[in-house]
């Protein structure tokens, strides 16, 4: 085996190991209408609903409190949204997550947003939902 093949095999094994350790959460809720959401590794949130879609990068997280052994965590992120018939823009989601069990959590968030669809508009969006961790 030459060095190139060994390096390729090592990179493939490293990528497979990283994918096996990925934390994936899938759920449903209300953000851009009713829809489904996906969270990857507690840092990337994606939502697709009947009114539009969002993608957020969560750059700060913390523990808010402990409620009867159910951790309550907060997060702050930055992202973008597209509404199917009304525009697009950027947003800053602020949220809370309640971990009800090891696999289930509920979330609620508000997201101030700036819409760029011809005439700039400022607004606030809200979201609520439930997720299952794989």
């Amino acid at each position: 085996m030459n060095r190139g093949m060994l390096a390729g095999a090592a990179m493939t094994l490293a990528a497979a190991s990283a994918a096996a350790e990925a934390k994936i959460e899938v759920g449903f809720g209300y953000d851009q209408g009713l829809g489904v959401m996906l969270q990857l590794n507690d840092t990337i949130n994606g939502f697709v609903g009947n009114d539009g879609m969002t993608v957020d990068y969560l750059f700060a997280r913390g523990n808010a409190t402990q409620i009867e052994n159910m951790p309550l965590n907060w997060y702050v992120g930055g992202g973008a949204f597209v509404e199917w018939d009304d525009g697009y823009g950027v947003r800053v989601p602020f949220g809370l997550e309640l971990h009800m069990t090891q696999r289930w959590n509920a979330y609620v968030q508000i997201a101030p947003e700036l819409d760029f669809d011809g005439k700039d508009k400022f607004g606030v969006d809200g979201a609520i939902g439930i997720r299952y961790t794989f």
Side-chain angles (χ1 to χ4, degrees):
M1 235 190 223
N2 67 26
R3 289 184 187 172
M5 290 176 69
L6 286 174
M11 289 181 5
T12 302
L13 287 173
S17 174
E21 296 174 13
K23 179 179 174 186
I24 299 172
E25 296 181 35
V26 177
F28 62 92
Y30 188 86
D31 188 343
Q32 294 289 325
L34 292 174
V36 296
M37 73 88 51
L38 173 72
Q39 186 177 82
L40 300 173
N41 294 330
D42 290 333
T43 56
I44 304 293
N45 275 352
F47 185 91
V48 177
N50 58 347
D51 292 336
M53 67 180 284
T54 65
V55 177
D56 301 316
Y57 174 73
L58 307 180
F59 54 80
R61 291 184 152 276
N63 188 358
T65 186
Q66 192 85 4
I67 300 174
E68 297 181 24
N69 298 325
M70 292 190 296
L72 182 65
N73 299 326
W74 59 267
Y75 60 87
V76 178
F81 69 92
V82 173
E83 295 174 339
W84 302 138
D85 61 354
D86 194 30
Y88 58 92
V90 295
R91 64 192 227 144
V92 180
F94 298 90
L96 292 172
E97 298 171 321
L98 178 63
H99 297 271
M100 299 174 293
T101 68
Q102 186 176 4
R103 298 248 185 225
W104 288 98
N105 70 64
Y107 68 94
V108 62
Q109 75 179 23
I110 60 168
E113 56 189 31
L114 185 58
D115 195 336
F116 300 126
D117 65 342
K119 52 182 180 177
D120 296 344
K121 297 182 283 185
F122 178 78
V124 177
D125 191 23
I128 188 168
I130 189 164
R131 296 184 290 235
Y132 180 80
T133 304
F134 290 93

